Amino acid sequence: MISNSLKQKLISIVGPENVEDSQSARLVFSYDATPLYQSMPDCVVAPRNTEEVAEIVKLCNEHKIPIVPRGSGTNLSGGTSPVNGGIVLHFRHMNRILELDEENLTVTVQPGVITQHLIEFVERKGLFYPPDPSSMKISTIGGNISENSGGLRGLKYGVTKDYVLGLEVVLANGGIIRTGGKLAKDVAGYDLTKLIVGSEGTLGIVTEATLKLLPKPKTKKTLLALYDDIDRAAETVSKIIASRIIPATLEFLDQPTLKAVEDFAKIGLPTDAKAVLLIEQDGDAETVQKDMEKIENICYEQHAISVQTAKSEQEAHALSAARRSALSALARLKPTTILEDATVPRSQVAAMVKAINEIAKKYDVTIATFGHAGDGNLHPTCTTDIRDKEEMERVEKAFAEIFEKAIELGGTITGEHGVGQMKAPYLEWQLGEEGIRVMKQIKQALDPNNILNPGKIFAKETRKRVILHRS
Amino acid sequence: MISNSLKQKLISIVGPENVEDSQSARLVFSYDATPLYQSMPDCVVAPRNTEEVAEIVKLCNEHKIPIVPRGSGTNLSGGTSPVNGGIVLHFRHMNRILELDEENLTVTVQPGVITQHLIEFVERKGLFYPPDPSSMKISTIGGNISENSGGLRGLKYGVTKDYVLGLEVVLANGGIIRTGGKLAKDVAGYDLTKLIVGSEGTLGIVTEATLKLLPKPKTKKTLLALYDDIDRAAETVSKIIASRIIPATLEFLDQPTLKAVEDFAKIGLPTDAKAVLLIEQDGDAETVQKDMEKIENICYEQHAISVQTAKSEQEAHALSAARRSALSALARLKPTTILEDATVPRSQVAAMVKAINEIAKKYDVTIATFGHAGDGNLHPTCTTDIRDKEEMERVEKAFAEIFEKAIELGGTITGEHGVGQMKAPYLEWQLGEEGIRVMKQIKQALDPNNILNPGKIFAKETRKRVILHRS
C-alpha cells in the first residue's frame, strides 16, 4: 500500500485529478488483455509531461515502489498487470503527435498516441508507418515500443523496432536520457534505443519517440487463396518467398478461425475451405501487378482450390479488417480465449501447424490457428473457460508443449507479444541459463531496486520441460 | 607481457602455429586503418572454432588479460589497436560461409568471412546482402558486426544491424550464448543481438552470425549530377527524399575529393564541377526508370549543370568503384589521412558541409568532404602529416569543432565508424553524463574485469567542449 504522505507527494507532482486510488479505478487497471493475470495496483497516476514522469520515478525509486507503465493494456502476455502492486503510470495525457518532419521522414510522438491515429495522420501526408499490430485501433505507440509489436506487414516491413530512431527515456533513478535522433546512421556507443524497445518497461520509461517513416506505397492488391489441405497452404508460403517475392502481408487462417471470423464479420468468407491465405502486395502498380500474377500461379501450383482477388479497395479493406478481428471473433466462442504467438522459421510453418493440431488433440483442447505465416509467426488460440480447472490444466500443458516444439524447430516462444508474466516460466528453455543470466545482469545494472515493471520477463521459477511424445 | 606458462596454455588450446609473439607478428597487429593509434599487443592468437575462443576468453578472464577481436582491421576509429596490450584474437581460420537457407532467406557465416565474398556468393543465387562499407573488399563480417558498418546502400537498405538476425557470442566469462535465429520476429527477452552489434567487441565476441537476405533487385541505374555550387547539390538531396523517392544510393563528392578520385581512377570524372551527386536506384525496371526520370528532373530544377546517366553496367560499376576509392585516392595526397564520419539529419547536409568548409578555413587545414548525403553521413577527410605537430594540433581542433557542430545540428559524432579510441573523448558531448553512465553500467555488468577490447568507447577523460565561434 502507498502511504498517505507518499500519495500527497504524488498529488503535488501531477495534481489531485491525476492520482486515483479508489477501488473502482484500481480495478480498471488490475488487468490487461491477457486472461489469468489480474492483480490490483495501489494507485493510478497520470503524468502530464516528462519532468513529472521523472519526479514520480525518483520518488518510487527512493521508496522502492513498483511502477507499471501502461498505454491501452492490449498486450497479450500479462505485461501490464501490476503483479507486485505499486503504481500504474497511465499515459492518457501524453498523447500528442509533436512533429512531422517531411524532409527527414520522421515523426516525433508521445507514448500515449493511438497507433491507428498515427498511421492515419502520416498517410494523409503521403507517408507510411508500417507496424500494424491487430490491436492498432486501441493500442498506443508507447505500448508498441515496450512490446516491440509486430503486425500483418511485418514480413516485408519489419516490426516496431525497425522504425524507432530515437527515444527520450526516464531511467530508474529518475534521470532522463535521449537516445538516437533523426539519423539513419548512428553508432555512438551501445544501441540503447533498440535495447529499450521491447524491454517491456523493465529498463526505462519511454516518454517520447522519434519514428522513421517511408513513402506511402502507391498501390496495393489483395487476394484470398483457399485450400482443402493445411500443408498445401503452408507450402505455398515457402514457395512464394523462394520465388524471390516478399509480399507485404501473408496471413494464414485455419478453418475454425475462418468460421469464427465469418460468423463475426459476415463478409462472405469461404468457411468450407480447410485453410486460407490472405496475401497483399504493395508498391508501384506494375510491380504489384506482376507479383500478384506470379503469386496467383504459385497458389494454383500448390493446389489452391480457388484464388479470389479483391475487386475494390473496400473489398480488400474488408478482408484485412476481418483478419484483424480474429481474436475478437474467436473470443465470442467461449468465456476464455488464450492467444499465443509461437514463432518459427517460415520453412517450418507447415510442421508447426501440424504439431499444434496434434498437441490439441492429445490434450483434448480446442485450438484454432491463424497468424502471420510469411514470417513464421503463428497464433494458436485456445477457446476455453478458466472456471474449468481440469481443462485449464490440460490447456497449460498443451501450450507448454507448443512452446517446446517451437524452440525445437528453431523458433521462439514469443514472436510479437513479449514475455511478460505469461511466458516468463518458459524463457530459460529458449535462452539457456547463460542467456537469462546476461539479461538479468542488464536489468540489475539499470534498475537495481527492481522498481520498473517487476515480475515480468524473469520468472521466480522456470517450469520443468515437457518431454515431447512424438507420434 | 604474457607469461610463458600462459603462452603454453594458449598453445595447448590453438596449437603452436596459431600463437605468435614475434616482434614482427606483433607489429603487424599493432595498428589498424586509423592513423595515430598504434600500440603493441603481447600476442596474436588465431582460434579455429568457437570452443577455442571460449577457452581463450576464460583464460584471459582469469588472468585479466585484454582481448582485442580483429578481422581485417579496416576500421577508422582505432577500434582494433590493442591500447592496453594483451591478445589480438585474429579470425583468419573462422572464415567459412556455413549455410545458405533459401527458404528462410538467411545465410549463416563465421566472423572471418570477407564482406565482398559474402555479397558475391549470395548474388550468384539471386539474393542480396545490402550492407556495403567502402572497405568491403577487405573488411570481414565480424568487423562489420562489431562496428555496425554502414555503406553506400544505407539510405534505402539500412546498415549491418538491420541484417543480423542471430548471433553466437562468447561472453567475458567464457560462456557461449545464442541470440535470435532465422526469425523475422522474436521478442523473447532483451534484444542481445542488436546490443552486441556495434558494441565494438566490448561486450562479447561474435563467433557466428545468421544474416537476413533480400531478393536481388532486378535492375539498377546510375547517374551523375554536376553542380557549380555545393548548396544546390545538398538541396537536391532533400528535394529527392521530399518527393517520396528513396534511392538506393545518394552520394556526395566535393571538388577536392572529385579531383583526387579522378587522378586515382582515371575514368573521366568532371573535375571542373564544384560538387557531384552519384545517384543509384534499383528495383523493378519500370520503377527504376520512373524514379530516375523524376530524379533527373529534380537535379535540373536544383540547377545541376549537367546530368549524365551511365550507359552501361560497366560504366555504372566504374562510377561506384571510383566513389568507393575516395579514401585511397585522398590518402595519396599527403602522408596522413584522417577520415571522419560526422552525421546529421539529412535536412542539415547543406549546413554541415558549409560548416566543415568554414572550420577548415578557420584552422587553415585541408579538408575534402564526400559521403552518403542521402542519410546525412558525411566524411570530412583531412590530408595532413602527423610529423607536423603544429598542424596536427589545428587538425584536432578542427575535428573537435566539426563534432560539436554535428551534435548542434541534431547529429552524431559517428555515423558508421564507431567510437573506438578516436571518438571516445567526445562521446559525452553527445550522450551526456547520464547516457555514458548507463552504457558503463552495461559494460560493467557484462565484462566486470574489463578484458573485452578495453580502452574503447569510454574515455579516461572527456575533452573540454570547444566554444563555437560562429561567423
Side-chain angles (χ1 to χ4, degrees):
Chain A
M1 283 299 291
I2 296 220
S3 69
N4 198 44
S5 85
L6 198 74
K7 186 178 164 185
Q8 291 312 316
K9 282 184 190 159
L10 289 167
I11 287 174
S12 75
I13 297 169
V14 295
E17 68 283 17
N18 293 316
V19 177
E20 294 167 283
D21 61 356
S22 68
Q23 180 74 3
S24 62
R26 289 161 58 218
L27 198 61
V28 167
F29 292 92
S30 68
Y31 60 93
D32 55 32
T34 329
L36 305 173
Y37 294 94
Q38 189 169 17
S39 28
M40 289 289 266
D42 295 313
C43 190
V44 181
V45 180
R48 292 164 298 190
N49 54 53
T50 302
E51 290 64 37
E52 289 184 0
V53 174
E55 281 187 68
I56 295 163
V57 174
K58 216 168 180 171
L59 198 64
C60 287
N61 197 34
E62 275 166 27
H63 296 268
K64 300 200 171 46
I65 292 167
I67 307 178
V68 182
R70 176 179 170 123
S72 301
T74 53
N75 80 84
L76 293 166
S77 56
T80 46
S81 96
V83 57
N84 294 2
I87 287 173
V88 167
L89 208 63
H90 189 226
F91 284 97
R92 64 173 173 269
H93 298 309
M94 294 176 69
N95 63 351
R96 280 182 307 135
I97 295 174
L98 300 171
E99 188 208 20
L100 177 74
D101 182 336
E102 297 197 48
E103 261 191 289
N104 292 307
L105 299 190
T106 62
V107 64
T108 299
V109 299
Q110 291 186 315
V113 171
I114 302 290
T115 313
Q116 183 151 313
H117 293 178
L118 175 71
I119 290 175
E120 287 168 0
F121 173 79
V122 303
E123 290 196 357
R124 283 196 294 273
K125 305 282 182 177
L127 294 168
F128 187 42
Y129 177 71
D132 61 341
S134 290
S135 55
M136 67 188 197
K137 270 191 198 173
I138 318 160
S139 70
T140 65
I141 293 294
N144 294 171
I145 289 173
S146 286
E147 302 293 329
N148 186 20
S149 302
L152 276 67
R153 297 191 283 234
L155 169 60
K156 183 171 179 177
Y157 291 105
V159 295
T160 301
K161 180 165 293 184
D162 300 310
Y163 295 86
V164 182
L165 294 176
L167 292 173
E168 181 185 71
V169 181
V170 174
L171 300 167
N173 64 357
I176 301 169
I177 58 168
R178 282 194 168 267
T179 72
K182 293 179 182 175
L183 296 165
K185 287 174 174 174
D186 182 11
V187 291
Y190 304 145
D191 194 337
L192 298 182
T193 309
K194 298 212 189 296
L195 181 63
I196 294 291
V197 179
S199 67
E200 309 187 16
T202 65
L203 298 179
I205 295 174
V206 172
T207 49
E208 194 183 298
T210 297
L211 307 172
K212 172 180 161 176
L213 302 173
L214 298 178
K216 188 165 182 267
K218 293 195 187 72
T219 52
K220 188 166 82 176
K221 274 194 181 292
T222 305
L223 68 74
L224 210 58
L226 320 184
Y227 295 84
D228 55 11
D229 181 298
I230 285 181
D231 280 353
R232 284 171 177 169
E235 278 153 24
T236 302
V237 173
S238 289
K239 294 284 178 202
I240 290 170
I241 307 294
S243 80
R244 311 286 186 252
I245 297 172
I246 312 280
T249 291
L250 216 176
E251 296 286 309
F252 166 86
L253 292 86
D254 70 359
Q255 194 171 30
T257 309
L258 206 55
K259 283 182 173 165
V261 167
E262 173 55 21
D263 198 40
F264 178 80
K266 298 205 168 49
I267 60 164
L269 289 171
T271 52
D272 51 339
K274 285 275 187 296
V276 154
L277 294 178
L278 171 71
I279 307 175
E280 292 192 335
Q281 182 59 303
D282 60 11
D284 275 12
E286 298 87 349
T287 306
V288 170
Q289 185 62 32
K290 269 195 283 187
D291 283 356
M292 289 307 260
E293 279 166 18
K294 277 191 213 157
I295 289 169
E296 192 175 337
N297 287 338
I298 293 169
C299 292
Y300 279 123
E301 279 162 28
Q302 299 306 311
H303 308 285
I305 47 178
S306 99
V307 179
Q308 308 166 359
T309 303
K311 280 171 201 71
S312 66
E313 222 173 284
Q314 286 73 11
E315 198 182 320
H317 184 76
L319 283 171
S320 73
R323 156 61 190 88
R324 280 182 213 281
S325 74
L327 170 54
S328 315
L330 286 163
R332 304 195 319 162
L333 303 182
K334 283 286 213 62
T336 307
T337 315
I338 301 175
L339 189 157
E340 282 301 342
D341 64 331
T343 300
V344 292
R346 77 170 69 84
S347 61
Q348 302 291 352
V349 165
M352 192 67 211
V353 171
K354 200 169 158 236
I356 291 167
N357 289 337
E358 282 171 7
I359 292 165
K361 207 169 163 189
K362 176 176 164 186
Y363 291 101
D364 190 23
V365 294
T366 306
I367 298 182
T369 298
F370 63 98
H372 321 299
D375 46 34
N377 181 194
L378 294 169
H379 292 313
T381 303
C382 184
T383 48
T384 178
D385 186 343
I386 47 166
R387 292 164 299 186
D388 183 343
K389 293 250 178 324
E390 186 274 326
E391 176 164 312
M392 286 308 291
E393 268 177 39
R394 282 183 282 122
V395 168
E396 208 177 300
K397 280 182 188 158
F399 274 119
E401 202 161 318
I402 286 172
F403 298 149
E404 183 135 20
K405 186 71 192 180
I407 295 169
E408 189 194 301
L409 293 173
T412 173
I413 57 171
T414 175
E416 57 180 10
H417 296 168
V419 178
Q421 293 177 73
M422 197 163 187
K423 309 286 179 65
Y426 307 99
L427 190 62
E428 196 177 312
W429 296 4
Q430 182 176 337
L431 302 177
E433 264 181 58
E434 198 69 17
I436 296 274
R437 192 183 58 78
V438 173
M439 291 187 188
K440 278 189 176 164
Q441 285 172 333
I442 293 171
K443 168 70 175 172
Q444 169 68 20
L446 268 66
D447 179 21
N449 292 329
N450 194 27
I451 60 158
L452 298 174
N453 209 4
K456 312 298 160 66
I457 301 181
F458 306 108
K460 283 200 186 111
E461 218 174 321
T462 290
R463 214 167 267 272
K464 284 214 185 84
R465 276 190 102 124
V466 184
I467 292 143
L468 281 175
H469 302 283
R470 263 161 251 144
S471 49
Chain B
M1 283 297 292
I2 296 223
S3 70
N4 199 45
S5 84
L6 199 73
K7 184 177 165 187
Q8 291 312 316
K9 280 184 190 160
L10 289 167
I11 288 175
S12 76
I13 297 169
V14 296
E17 69 282 17
N18 293 316
V19 178
E20 295 167 282
D21 63 355
S22 68
Q23 180 73 5
S24 62
R26 289 161 57 217
L27 198 61
V28 168
F29 291 93
S30 67
Y31 61 93
D32 55 33
T34 330
L36 306 173
Y37 294 93
Q38 189 168 18
S39 30
M40 290 288 265
D42 296 312
C43 190
V44 181
V45 180
R48 294 164 297 189
N49 54 54
T50 303
E51 289 65 36
E52 289 184 1
V53 174
E55 281 187 66
I56 295 163
V57 174
K58 214 166 181 175
L59 199 64
C60 287
N61 198 34
E62 274 165 29
H63 296 267
K64 300 198 168 53
I65 293 166
I67 307 178
V68 183
R70 178 180 168 122
S72 302
T74 53
N75 79 84
L76 293 165
S77 56
T80 45
S81 96
V83 57
N84 293 3
I87 286 173
V88 167
L89 207 62
H90 189 227
F91 283 97
R92 66 174 173 269
H93 299 309
M94 293 175 68
N95 64 349
R96 280 181 306 136
I97 296 174
L98 298 172
E99 188 208 19
L100 177 73
D101 182 337
E102 297 197 48
E103 261 192 288
N104 291 307
L105 299 189
T106 63
V107 64
T108 300
V109 300
Q110 291 185 313
V113 170
I114 302 291
T115 314
Q116 182 150 314
H117 292 179
L118 175 71
I119 291 174
E120 288 169 358
F121 172 79
V122 303
E123 289 195 357
R124 283 195 294 273
K125 306 282 182 175
L127 294 168
F128 187 42
Y129 178 73
D132 61 339
S134 290
S135 55
M136 67 187 196
K137 269 191 198 172
I138 317 159
S139 71
T140 63
I141 294 295
N144 294 172
I145 289 173
S146 286
E147 302 293 329
N148 187 17
S149 302
L152 277 67
R153 298 190 283 235
L155 169 58
K156 183 170 179 178
Y157 292 105
V159 295
T160 301
K161 181 164 296 186
D162 300 308
Y163 295 86
V164 182
L165 295 177
L167 292 172
E168 181 185 70
V169 181
V170 174
L171 300 165
N173 65 357
I176 302 168
I177 58 168
R178 282 194 168 267
T179 72
K182 293 178 180 175
L183 296 166
K185 288 175 173 170
D186 181 12
V187 291
Y190 302 147
D191 194 338
L192 299 180
T193 308
K194 299 215 190 293
L195 180 64
I196 294 290
V197 178
S199 67
E200 308 188 15
T202 66
L203 297 180
I205 296 174
V206 172
T207 49
E208 195 182 298
T210 297
L211 308 171
K212 173 182 162 172
L213 302 173
L214 298 178
K216 188 166 182 263
K218 293 197 186 71
T219 51
K220 188 166 82 176
K221 275 196 181 290
T222 305
L223 68 73
L224 212 57
L226 319 184
Y227 295 83
D228 56 12
D229 181 298
I230 285 181
D231 279 353
R232 285 173 175 168
E235 278 154 23
T236 303
V237 172
S238 289
K239 293 284 179 206
I240 291 170
I241 306 293
S243 80
R244 312 283 187 250
I245 298 172
I246 311 281
T249 292
L250 216 177
E251 296 286 310
F252 166 87
L253 292 86
D254 71 359
Q255 193 170 34
T257 309
L258 206 55
K259 283 182 172 165
V261 167
E262 173 55 21
D263 200 41
F264 179 80
K266 299 204 168 50
I267 59 164
L269 289 170
T271 53
D272 51 339
K274 284 277 187 294
V276 153
L277 293 178
L278 172 70
I279 306 175
E280 292 192 333
Q281 182 59 304
D282 59 13
D284 273 13
E286 298 87 350
T287 307
V288 170
Q289 184 62 32
K290 270 195 283 187
D291 282 356
M292 290 307 262
E293 278 166 19
K294 277 190 212 157
I295 289 170
E296 190 174 338
N297 287 339
I298 294 170
C299 291
Y300 278 124
E301 279 162 28
Q302 300 305 311
H303 308 284
I305 48 178
S306 98
V307 179
Q308 308 165 0
T309 302
K311 280 168 202 72
S312 64
E313 221 173 286
Q314 286 73 14
E315 200 182 316
H317 184 77
L319 284 171
S320 73
R323 157 59 191 90
R324 279 182 213 280
S325 75
L327 171 56
S328 315
L330 287 162
R332 303 195 321 162
L333 303 181
K334 282 287 215 54
T336 306
T337 314
I338 301 176
L339 188 157
E340 281 302 343
D341 63 332
T343 300
V344 291
R346 77 170 70 87
S347 61
Q348 301 292 353
V349 164
M352 190 68 212
V353 171
K354 199 167 159 238
I356 291 168
N357 289 338
E358 282 171 9
I359 292 165
K361 208 170 164 189
K362 175 176 164 188
Y363 291 101
D364 190 23
V365 294
T366 308
I367 297 182
T369 298
F370 63 98
H372 320 300
D375 47 34
N377 180 196
L378 294 168
H379 293 310
T381 303
C382 184
T383 49
T384 180
D385 185 342
I386 49 167
R387 291 163 302 187
D388 183 342
K389 292 252 179 319
E390 187 275 326
E391 177 163 312
M392 286 308 292
E393 267 177 39
R394 283 184 282 120
V395 169
E396 209 176 298
K397 281 182 187 158
F399 275 118
E401 203 160 319
I402 287 172
F403 297 148
E404 184 133 20
K405 187 72 193 177
I407 295 169
E408 189 193 301
L409 293 172
T412 173
I413 57 171
T414 176
E416 56 179 10
H417 296 167
V419 179
Q421 292 177 73
M422 199 164 186
K423 308 286 178 64
Y426 307 99
L427 189 63
E428 196 178 312
W429 295 5
Q430 182 176 334
L431 302 179
E433 263 182 59
E434 198 68 16
I436 295 275
R437 191 183 60 78
V438 173
M439 291 187 189
K440 277 190 178 164
Q441 284 172 331
I442 293 171
K443 168 70 174 172
Q444 170 69 21
L446 268 66
D447 179 21
N449 292 327
N450 193 26
I451 60 159
L452 297 176
N453 209 4
K456 313 298 160 65
I457 302 181
F458 305 108
K460 282 201 186 110
E461 218 172 324
T462 290
R463 213 167 268 272
K464 284 215 185 81
R465 277 189 99 125
V466 183
I467 292 144
L468 280 176
H469 302 284
R470 263 161 253 144
S471 49

